[in-house]
Each structure stands twice: as C-alpha cells, then as structure tokens.
Amino acid sequence: MNPLEQKTQRVLAVYPGSFDPITNGHLDLVERGARLFDKLIVAILENAAKEAPLFSVEERMEMLREVLRPFPNEQVDSFHGLLADYAAGNHASVILRGIRAISDYEYELQMALMNTRLAPQVETVFLMSREAYSFVSSRLVKQIIGLGGNISGLVPPVIEERLKSRVGKGK
Ligand code: PNS
C-alpha cells in the first residue's frame, strides 16, 4: 500500500493559551488548525502565573465558544496544571502554538522541549503568525482599549464589544 494511504489515525491537537481575550492572531491559528487537524481543543490555562486576568475562565470559555462556532471540529476547554499532562490525558498527539517574532522563539522552544520531555508522544507544531497579526497580543489590546485607543480589526467584533463594556473607555 502507498505509505501515504496508511495514515488512518485521527489527529487531535490542543491549542493552549490564556486567551484573555482571544485576538485575531489567535483566530487565525484557530482557522488554520481547523484545516490541519481532525479535531482541535482550544484550552484555556486556569492557573496562569501572569497578572490577574481581565476575564474569568468562564467568561473566556463563553467568548471562545462564540468565536469558534463556525468550526465544528473545534471545542473549548480549560485546564490547570501541566499542559503536557492535559494533552497526554486527552490523547492529543499535537500541541499547537503560534510564533509571531523571533522574540517568541526562545520561550516557545524552551516550552516545546520541556513538554517533549514530559510527554514524548505529543509533538509541538508551530505555525508562523500571518504578517497582519504578527504584532497583535492580548496584553497590548487590553492596554490600548484601557487608554481609549481603537482596537477594531485586532479582535473579533464580539470580543471588541465585550472589551468595551468591561473597560468602558474604548472608542
Ligand atoms: O497565552 P500564553 O501565555 O502564551 O500561554 C502559555 C501556556 C498556557 C501555553 C503555558 O503557560 C502553559 O503551558 N502553562 C501550563 C503549565 C505548564 O505546563 N508549564 C510547563 C511548560 S513547559
């Protein structure tokens, strides 16, 4: 048999992150992930060591579900503890991450190598961010709207509305 025809196993991928909130950069990965993998779980980290989140995990799950509605092979979940344990526990074979710039690379490489050590059966797959979103981050979006700046085109419209009503100063 042609070796290309032998792959029958479905590929389940996990796309982890804080998603506080989801940006158009994340959405680009979600769209591309939907085409590449049989199933994609977008998984929100519950116990982030970063600054206090703007949206609760429940709010972020609700927002993600809304944005992911056009993708029937995608599902939203949350996790705490190690990503490697979560991915392996769900029988995922891929962790999906985006790389925007060289500055992301070192951190992502370190995480990918550590996750491979913890769960060797799970591959980290990187997609390069599309140029249009290579400068977009949740942190900057929150900062801009907090200072009254325009964030249209940086996040999906429903998220822009949520941000405006949460932060209250957006244009
Ligand atoms: O949205 P972010 O900050 O880019 O997402 C980072 C995330 C959630 C992928 C990372 O912080 C993570 O995997 N945290 C879970 C804890 C863990 O597994 N730590 C060891 C990583 S090698």
Side-chain angles (χ1 to χ4, degrees):
M1 194 201 279
N2 178 343
L4 291 175
E5 289 171 9
Q6 283 175 8
K7 193 192 125 324
T8 51
Q9 207 187 335
R10 287 164 53 80
V11 180
L12 166 61
V14 171
Y15 177 29
S18 310
F19 304 106
D20 183 42
I22 182 170
T23 66
N24 280 344
H26 294 127
L27 184 57
D28 174 45
L29 249 77
V30 156
E31 282 168 3
R32 292 156 73 192
R35 277 185 264 123
L36 284 171
F37 306 111
D38 297 298
K39 185 174 170 189
L40 185 73
I41 302 178
V42 181
I44 302 170
L45 175 66
E46 287 176 17
N47 52 338
K50 291 183 183 176
E51 74 269 22
L54 183 60
F55 295 102
S56 69
V57 172
E58 292 69 30
E59 288 172 318
R60 281 178 273 162
M61 287 189 76
E62 195 185 307
M63 289 189 280
L64 276 171
R65 279 200 195 99
E66 202 161 338
V67 172
L68 264 55
R69 210 172 281 149
F71 307 101
N73 62 337
E74 302 206 3
Q75 163 187 329
V76 180
D77 196 10
S78 65
F79 74 102
H80 53 85
L82 288 173
L83 171 60
D85 288 347
Y86 174 79
N90 281 280
H91 308 288
S93 45
V94 169
I95 290 171
L96 174 66
R97 292 287 289 171
I99 292 199
R100 289 167 298 191
I102 293 287
S103 49
D104 282 344
Y105 177 79
E106 274 189 47
Y107 169 63
E108 294 296 337
L109 174 67
Q110 193 182 20
M111 266 207 315
L113 294 175
M114 192 59 86
N115 282 329
T116 301
R117 187 175 187 277
L118 295 168
Q121 73 277 31
V122 184
E123 284 289 348
T124 300
V125 171
F126 292 107
L127 291 180
M128 309 311 287
S129 284
R130 279 210 278 152
E131 207 180 343
Y133 305 122
S134 59
F135 57 92
V136 179
S137 71
S138 303
R139 185 179 57 82
L140 281 185
V141 164
K142 285 184 283 189
Q143 194 178 98
I144 292 165
I145 197 154
L147 296 170
N150 183 358
I151 57 157
S152 90
L154 301 179
V155 295
V158 287
I159 306 300
E160 189 176 341
E161 287 314 309
R162 294 288 283 255
L163 275 163
K164 281 179 178 165
S165 58
R166 174 61 49 96
V167 178
K169 287 185 191 168
K171 285 179 181 164

